[in-house]
Amino acid sequence: MPAPRSTETTAPPGTSTPENTLTPATTTTAVTDAPHGTTPEPAPDRLTRQQFTVIALLLTSAFVVILNETTMGVALPAVMDDFGITESSGQWLTTGFLLTMAVVIPTTGWLLQRLGTRGAFILAMSLFSAGTLLAAIAPAFGVLVAARVVQATGTAIMMPLLMTTVMSTVPHHRRGRVMGNVSMVIAVAPALGPSMSGAVVTALGWREVFWVVLPIALLALTLGALLVRDVADRARNRLDPLSLVLSVGAFGGLVYGLSALGESARHAMAVSPVVPIVAGAAFLALFVWRQLVLQRTDAALLDLRVFRAPGFTVGLAVMAVSMIAMFGMIIGLPLVLQRAMGLSPVTSGLLMLPGGLAMGVLGPVVGRLYDRLGPRPLVLPGVAAVGVSMVVFATLTPTSAVWLVLVGHMVLSLGLAFIFTPTFTSALGGLVPSLYSHGSAAVATVQQLAGAAGTALFVALLTLRSVALLDDGASQAQATAGGAQLAFSVGGAVVVVALVLATRLRRTDAPDGAPAAH
């Protein structure tokens, strides 16, 4: 009887390599017509050294670019003093960054397929490095805002690139632990950003925040140019100009409108936030229509067939609701700590640091548990923990004990740790390889929209309730605490939606050697 034969297999154009392989483009596998009674050669179980190195490099690069995302909040007062600008003008350092992310991320599905892994990485880190250098030497505030826009463009490419690379190279049964490291980056980097920025600004100045980051970015760019290779064949689809215009109007309008919604609760604005929100929704409807037409010929800027994949919509919905709660906490809790309880910015930041670090450390642990248990046994208790933390925060008053805040934030962080890795992995696990880049882009886009919605919801509720209490004669501290109580109570109600959705989560990734679900 003849021995099993081997054959060289190559992924067809427009798709990535089969999911049970680890090599970027080709692999030698045992065919299925092996003699009766023999066992086919098992799929490789571990990453190659090159793949491990590339993923580690992408994780490090993503950490740096996301860390940069949260550095300007602490540095803003120093920037305002240096350039002589108002707080409303200074906020464009953050608003411009978020708007750029919202506009660029939906294009990354097309961009990753067009440029490939290596080209997308070099573009992302080149833009980020150039923006960082320009920010460090910016002679005027307008130049600094432009530099942040360039930085944001590189940042927007990096996270979808990282998730797509993980999905394309890591075997199904090991994806949880690797995606756990992705969650660790997402959790720890934003938590460390303000702390790092505060220390550098205090000791050296705001420009040095960028000078500290620049050498790391340049080193990552150099190593990436040498080490990163494509993990899938490139697609040669042309960029649809109309889709790009509609994307800018849709996601830019929604994020700007939601961001301005919270600000409008504090004071009247020249243009009501409802205008960009309604315009953004109209552009979004047109964008969806255009993508449905283009995806018939695989030419969509953002392929919406990802929402038909098993588990994608449910996983994405749970993640979005959790993001609303997390960003609401990020904006609401410091206000309570500083304006109601009288704590300093440094103290409030330190109170929130342990939770962020714990969430990051737990990422790989939760990933390993996901590989064994699937999403639902992890996400359900995680969502319940987030709900409990919201109840704790809704009881805070100006005289509450500091330890109660610390415990509540730790419970919240642990709950989020048990949510993000399983929802990321299960949502993307049901996709066919050719849709990984579009799925990653959709996940990142929803993250941005959920973050803006969470911020707007909490700020608007807190402000409106605070103003009403002040009119009734309450002190500023009492009014802030009362507004926060309402905001966190509504946040708890929102978490109930995530709890209901989490009961529908299923494991979607196929076992190694089997095709992914369509």
Side-chain angles (χ1 to χ4, degrees), residues 475-495:
S475 66
Q476 180 65 60
Q478 292 171 332
T480 301
Q485 289 169 2
L486 174 63
F488 284 118
S489 297
V490 174
V494 169
V495 171

Side-chain angles (χ1 to χ4, degrees), residues 117-450:
T117 311
R118 185 172 186 272
F121 179 84
I122 292 175
L123 176 62
M125 292 310 296
S126 296
L127 288 169
F128 180 79
S129 300
T132 303
L133 175 61
L134 183 61
I137 62 175
F141 179 71
V143 177
L144 181 59
V145 172
R148 289 285 284 173
V149 168
V150 176
Q151 277 188 321
T153 305
T155 302
I157 300 171
M158 184 54 64
M159 280 310 299
L161 172 62
L162 172 59
M163 288 190 283
T164 300
T165 302
V166 168
M167 296 300 296
S168 299
T169 59
V170 179
H172 293 282
H173 63 284
R174 296 177 64 89
R175 281 181 182 167
R177 67 194 71 182
V178 179
M179 289 297 283
N181 290 310
V182 176
S183 297
M184 179 176 66
V185 167
I186 294 173
V188 175
L192 290 181
S195 302
M196 184 277 286
S197 178
V200 173
V201 170
T202 301
L204 301 172
W206 67 267
R207 292 183 186 273
E208 278 64 29
V209 172
F210 299 106
W211 287 120
V212 168
V213 170
L214 182 60
I216 304 173
L218 291 174
L219 177 61
L221 173 60
T222 303
L223 292 175
L226 296 173
L227 299 175
V228 174
R229 296 293 181 267
D230 291 342
V231 298
D233 290 344
R234 301 180 188 180
R236 299 299 179 185
N237 297 331
R238 296 180 61 184
L239 178 64
D240 178 51
L242 179 57
S243 293
L244 186 60
V245 172
L246 294 175
S247 172
V248 171
F251 300 107
L254 288 173
V255 169
Y256 177 77
L258 290 170
S259 300
L261 190 62
E263 187 67 23
S264 68
R266 295 175 179 167
H267 54 76
M269 302 187 68
V271 178
S272 171
V274 175
V275 174
I277 291 176
V278 171
F283 275 108
L284 180 61
L286 293 173
F287 178 79
V288 169
W289 165 78
R290 183 64 176 170
Q291 304 320 295
L292 292 175
V293 172
L294 292 176
Q295 68 189 25
R296 298 171 188 167
T297 56
D298 294 329
L301 182 67
L302 180 63
D303 199 317
L304 300 181
R305 284 176 292 187
V306 296
F307 289 94
R308 300 208 306 252
F312 184 85
T313 301
V314 174
L316 196 60
V318 175
M319 182 209 72
V321 175
S322 303
M323 282 284 179
I324 289 174
M326 185 182 79
F327 276 87
M329 178 276 300
I330 289 174
I331 193 70
L333 192 56
L335 292 175
V336 177
L337 294 174
Q338 296 174 41
R339 296 183 181 179
M341 299 176 65
L343 301 179
S344 68
V346 174
T347 303
S348 61
L350 290 175
L351 277 174
M352 298 172 67
L353 183 59
L357 294 177
M359 183 167 30
V361 170
L362 268 181
V365 176
V366 174
R368 291 185 179 92
L369 290 174
Y370 172 87
D371 289 334
R372 292 171 50 194
L373 304 175
R376 193 163 45 171
L378 303 174
V379 175
L380 282 173
V383 173
V386 172
V388 169
S389 69
M390 289 293 165
V391 173
V392 171
F393 293 150
T395 65
L396 293 178
T397 67
T399 58
S400 294
V402 172
W403 66 263
L404 185 63
V405 178
L406 181 61
V407 171
H409 189 258
M410 286 292 292
V411 171
L412 174 74
S413 300
L414 295 178
L416 292 172
F418 277 85
I419 294 173
F420 288 143
T421 296
T423 52
F424 285 152
T425 311
S426 63
L428 295 173
L431 300 175
V432 294
S434 60
L435 291 179
Y436 284 158
S437 60
H438 290 279
S440 299
V443 168
T445 300
V446 171
Q447 279 183 278
Q448 292 294 311
L449 292 175

